[in-house]
Amino acid sequence: MYRRVLTSMAIRNNCSFFSNVHHVTCPSRYFCLSDIRLLYFLSCHKRQESLLSSSSGFNNYRGLLNWCVVMLVLSNARLFLENLLKYGVLVDPIQVISLFVNDPYRWPAACLVIASNVFIMVALYTERQLSKGSFSELVGFLLHCINMAIMLTFPAAVVLLVPSVTPVGGTFVLGVYTILFLKLYSYKDVNSWCRELSSIKAKKLARSLSCPSTQQLNRGEPKVCYPGNLTIRDMYYFVFAPTLCYELNFPRSPSIRMSFLLRRLFEMWMIPVIQSSMKPLEVPNHLLWLMFFYWFFHSSMNFTAELLRFGDRQFYNDWWNSETVTYFWQNWNIPVHKWCLRHFYKPLLRRGVSKMISQSAVFFLSAFFHEYLVSVPLRMFRLWAFTGMMVQLPLAWIVGRFLRGNYGNAAVWISIIIGQPFTVLMYVHDYYVLNHGQEPN
C-alpha cells in the first residue's frame, strides 16, 4: 500500500514537472519501480511569490520588529551606562516623597492630581442620591454639569496663575483632568440609561444593558446590576481602567500574566530612555510621535489592563494602513473614538442632527481639547492645535473624494509627517519668542 501511494505521488509530480517545464508527454511509463522513489525529488519548484512582494499575502514581520527593538536598545545602552556610571542614580524616590510631604505647595501638579478625588466622590455621591430618589433628574444633571465644569476650569486656572507649574507638569495635570472629565461624563450617561430602563420596566432591555447575561461575562465573575454598581471600588476600578466608556460589567481576563506584565514594564522604561537620548529638533518629530504612540497605547495601556485584568485590549487598530483621513482618526485612538461615538456622535444623530454637522461637532470638540492641553500649560493662546484639527475636515473630504488605495495612504502619512511637526514647531517658536525674547536656534 505504501509503495502504491509513493508511486502515485511520484508519477503525478513528475508528470507535472515534465509536462509544464519541458512540454512533452508524460514519461513516467519509462521508469521502473525501483526508480519511482527518485521521481519525487526531481520536481522541487512551484509557482510562488517572494515574501516581501505585496502579492504574496505574507504579513508576519515580527522578527523585523524585534530586530528594530534590539538595535534601539543596543544603540542607546552605551549612553545609558555612561550616564549611570558618571552621574549615578539621580532620582531618589524616598527623597522625592519626603520633599513632597515637607512642602507640598512646591508640587502644585501633584496636589492637583490628588484633588481630583474630590470630583470623583461628588459624581459618585450624586449618582447614589439619584438611585435612591433623593435628587430629581434635573438636580442631578445640574450637579454633574457644575462638577464637570469646575473640573475643566479649576486646574486650568491653577496652571495659568501659579508660576511654579511647569509646562510639562501642566500638560500632565490637564491630561489627567481631561481623561477624568470624559470618564465621569460616561459614568453619568450609563447610570442615567440604567434608571430609564428600570423606570419603564423593560426587563429584556434592562438585562442587556444594566444587568448583562451570564454569557457576556467571564465564568466565575459575579455580574453587577444597577444600583449595585454605585460603590467606591467600582468607581475607582473604572477611573484606573484603560477606557473612557463606563460599563457595569467589564470583560475580564482570567489571570495576570507576569511575563506579559514584565515585558510591558520594560518597554515603558526603555522607550523614555531612548527618547531622552535624542535631541527633539534634530530627530523627525513624527518618529518621536510614533515612539510615544507605542509607549502609551501599547506598552502603558496593556500594562494597566493586565494589572487590572481588563479584557478589552483593542486600544488601536491598523491606522498605519489608513487610506482616508477619517479611517485614521477612527482607528489610531480607539478609547477616544468609542467615547465620541457613544456619548457625542450618536446622541446628536438621535436628536435629528445631520451626519455632516455631527462629524464637524466631533472634530470641534477634539480641536478644543487639543488646544486646551497645549495652550494652557504654555500660557499662550495661538490656536495652532485648534486650527490643525479643524483643517482635518476639508482634508478628509479631499482625500476621500480624489485619492484611493496607496495614494490615499500616502496622503495620510504626509499629513502626519508634515502637519503635526509644523504645529509643534510653531508652538516652539512662539514659546521661545514670548519667554526668551528671541527665536530658537
Side-chain angles (χ1 to χ4, degrees), residues 213-222 250-254 309 311:
S213 62
T214 306
Q215 287 77 10
Q216 293 174 303
L217 302 175
N218 294 326
R219 185 175 299 178
E221 292 287 343
F250 289 106
R252 304 291 291 274
S253 56
R309 294 175 50 223

Side-chain angles (χ1 to χ4, degrees), residues 226-282:
Y226 183 85
N229 63 305
L230 302 178
T231 63
I232 294 178
R233 180 178 180 177
D234 180 87
M235 168 62 91
Y236 275 95
Y237 180 87
F238 173 54
V239 167
F240 288 104
T243 181
L244 299 176
C245 294
Y246 178 69
E247 291 183 18
L248 275 70
N249 296 278
F250 289 106
R252 304 291 291 274
S253 56
S255 61
I256 298 177
R257 298 167 294 176
M258 290 306 300
S259 59
F260 182 89
L261 197 70
L262 292 176
R263 285 199 303 270
R264 301 291 83 81
L265 182 62
F266 175 77
E267 293 170 353
M268 291 170 61
W269 170 79
M270 196 63 205
I271 291 178
V273 171
I274 296 173
Q275 284 184 320
S276 64
S277 66
M278 300 177 178
K279 295 183 178 180
L281 297 181
E282 294 181 4

Side-chain angles (χ1 to χ4, degrees), residues 38-264:
L38 299 177
L39 296 179
Y40 184 77
F41 302 102
L42 291 179
S43 178
C44 62
H45 296 286
K46 63 180 179 179
R47 186 178 179 275
Q48 55 188 338
E49 300 289 342
S50 298
L51 290 184
L52 296 181
S53 300
S54 59
S55 57
S56 69
F58 181 79
N59 56 11
N60 185 5
Y61 299 104
R62 171 60 60 180
L64 293 177
L65 179 61
N66 291 335
W67 171 76
C68 293
V69 173
V70 169
M71 292 302 297
L72 284 173
V73 171
L74 293 178
S75 62
N76 290 274
R78 181 184 60 84
L79 179 63
F80 170 76
L81 291 175
E82 286 182 356
N83 291 336
L84 183 63
L85 294 174
K86 185 176 182 180
Y87 302 105
V89 180
L90 299 179
V91 179
D92 185 359
I94 298 177
Q95 185 179 6
V96 171
I97 295 174
S98 63
L99 288 174
F100 176 75
V101 172
N102 293 331
D103 191 4
Y105 298 103
R106 292 180 57 187
W107 303 77
C111 292
L112 283 172
V113 172
I114 295 174
S116 65
N117 290 279
V118 174
F119 301 98
I120 297 173
M121 298 310 297
V122 169
L124 178 59
Y125 173 78
T126 302
E127 286 300 327
R128 282 181 171 178
Q129 298 304 311
L130 285 169
S131 67
K132 295 186 294 186
S134 300
F135 290 165
S136 65
E137 290 294 329
L138 178 60
V139 172
F141 176 77
L142 292 176
L143 285 176
H144 277 303
C145 289
I146 294 172
N147 188 44
M148 288 186 288
I150 297 175
M151 281 182 60
L152 292 181
T153 56
F154 169 67
V158 173
V159 170
L160 289 172
L161 298 177
V162 177
S164 59
V165 180
T166 64
V168 175
T171 303
F172 175 76
V173 166
L174 295 183
V176 170
Y177 272 83
T178 299
I179 292 172
L180 194 57
F181 172 87
L182 299 177
K183 282 176 176 282
L184 294 185
Y185 191 96
S186 177
Y187 189 76
K188 170 191 74 69
D189 271 1
V190 173
N191 283 300
S192 176
W193 297 338
C194 291
R195 286 193 299 275
E196 290 178 9
L197 291 175
S198 299
S199 65
I200 61 176
K201 306 297 182 181
K203 296 182 179 180
K204 184 176 180 180
L205 292 177
R207 284 196 299 268
S208 67
L209 178 64
S210 63
C211 190
S213 62
T214 306
Q215 287 77 10
Q216 293 174 303
L217 302 175
N218 294 326
R219 185 175 299 178
E221 292 287 343
K223 59 183 179 181
V224 177
C225 298
Y226 183 85
N229 63 305
L230 302 178
T231 63
I232 294 178
R233 180 178 180 177
D234 180 87
M235 168 62 91
Y236 275 95
Y237 180 87
F238 173 54
V239 167
F240 288 104
T243 181
L244 299 176
C245 294
Y246 178 69
E247 291 183 18
L248 275 70
N249 296 278
F250 289 106
R252 304 291 291 274
S253 56
S255 61
I256 298 177
R257 298 167 294 176
M258 290 306 300
S259 59
F260 182 89
L261 197 70
L262 292 176
R263 285 199 303 270
R264 301 291 83 81

